[in-house]
Amino acid sequence: MIRAGGAMTARSRGGRSPAFEVERIRQDFPVLGEKIRGKPLVYLDNAATSQKPHVVIDTIRQFLSTYNSNVHRGVHQLSERATEAYEQARTRVQGFINAAESREIIFVRGTTEAINLVAQSYGRTHIGTGDEIVISAMEHHSNIVPWQILCEQTGAVLRVVPINDDGEMLLDEYVTLLTPRTRLVAVAHVSNALGTINPVREVIRLARRQGVPVLVDGAQAVPHLKVDVRELDCDFYAFSGHKVFGPTGIGVLYGRARLLEAMPPYQGGGDMIKSVTFAKTVYNDLPFKFEAGTPHIGGVIGLGAALDYLDGVGLDRVTAYEDELLVHATEALSAIPGVRIIGTAKEKASVVSFVVDGVHAHDIGTVLDHEGIAIRAGHHCAMPVMQRFGVPATARASLAFYNTREEVDALVRGIHKVIEMFV
Ligand code: 7TS
């Protein structure tokens, strides 16, 4: 994260930062050696999805080629091995986010499914006509639309905490939006469109005072910051495997056991039951109650390998290194005449969204692509953020710990080229 003024680096905060051997780390990611139109790939679209290290690819390959089988149902050895690896990965996730129990870890398709699960299972049973759900103005569509659907179904009302011109949540406004009708708060830990790190600890403390549960959308936090769900004291925490160097199609919903136990299943099918007759079905215990059907077994095992890998690199070092990179990118881009950064919060992680006077974001993306540089251009599935800042779209460079200063410099040269061509 970077702090006020943007110029304070990890080095200036805490003495010397340990050497971060980025060139060695890059060797772990085969795709980083690819060429795009003959130029080295500069991958700055990590908020959309991250790249995968060899160990994740190899772990999935090993599962598929040596012990592929279904989980929780076979008596044969392969199934036992697959089940063991699958459940070990659950324990791995539990440790990674410091959940109290492994049954609090539910495997889902991704952040989107995790939030929909809470909206439909928790929401349909605890939220009714006239009740209020509080979100922030910087949410990804996947933390807006599931609540709108729930509001349509139940007659509940969505309340939105406004943000200031730097893209920071207005906590005073938040406090006034917490009313006796508030039934749930759902906020992003880190904004994908602005990079803002929200004060989720404080958001949770204020909600908890009134007994209101909080869901944290951690899709953009888990790859960059150490997350401890017990320290945060959140009720639900959602993230996606593919943004944290694991496979697509797998994600995690953490939920407090007490809440998950009282929630009805989200989907019905195999594995989520203890017994079925036409007269009555008895649901399985946690976490299986929420994992209907054959899960994404290779995805879960691959996610476990990704978290092991990230632990090996060290999240503290990742955060410190990315801070320096973000400060460099922020300074270098803001020094270009005509470039305006959207999202200048004091606390930020890994995202630089910007506009260039007189150039559409898509043109920026296209020109950069010709230089081998991958960024995202558009509304980033956060259209209300674009409306708040009065822009149709932004160009967004999003960093990971395998990016380098040289890559940021290539981006800056690319933007100069864009300006020469269009302005
Ligand atoms: N929440 C946030 C904050 C996100 O950034 C995203 C995806 C999601 C939820 C949804 O995650 P999914 O894995 O279920 O799709 N964000 C982006 C992005 O910024 N560019 O592409 C996807």
Side-chain angles (χ1 to χ4, degrees), residues 340-396:
R340 180 161 63 97
I341 293 189
I342 307 287
T344 45
K346 287 184 211 65
E347 305 273 349
K348 276 189 74 172
S350 287
V351 166
V352 195
S353 254
F354 57 96
V355 290
V356 178
D357 285 346
V359 191
H360 194 278
H362 285 128
D363 291 327
I364 301 174
T366 306
V367 172
L368 291 178
D369 181 52
H370 277 84
E371 302 298 312
I373 304 170
I375 59 147
R376 186 166 169 191
H379 53 64
H380 316 296
C381 300
M383 288 174 93
V385 172
M386 302 299 118
Q387 288 147 21
R388 167 64 179 78
F389 286 90
V391 293
T394 72
R396 180 189 70 182

Side-chain angles (χ1 to χ4, degrees), residues 285-296:
D285 296 327
L286 290 178
F288 313 111
K289 182 173 76 174
F290 290 109
E291 293 180 3
T294 299
H296 185 5

Side-chain angles (χ1 to χ4, degrees), residues 47-48 110-112 140 142 190 192 217 219-220 240 242-243 376 396:
T111 308
T112 302
H140 185 279
S142 65
V190 173
N192 70 313
D217 169 356
Q220 300 294 347
S240 298
H242 71 99
K243 294 189 201 288
R376 186 166 169 191
R396 180 189 70 182

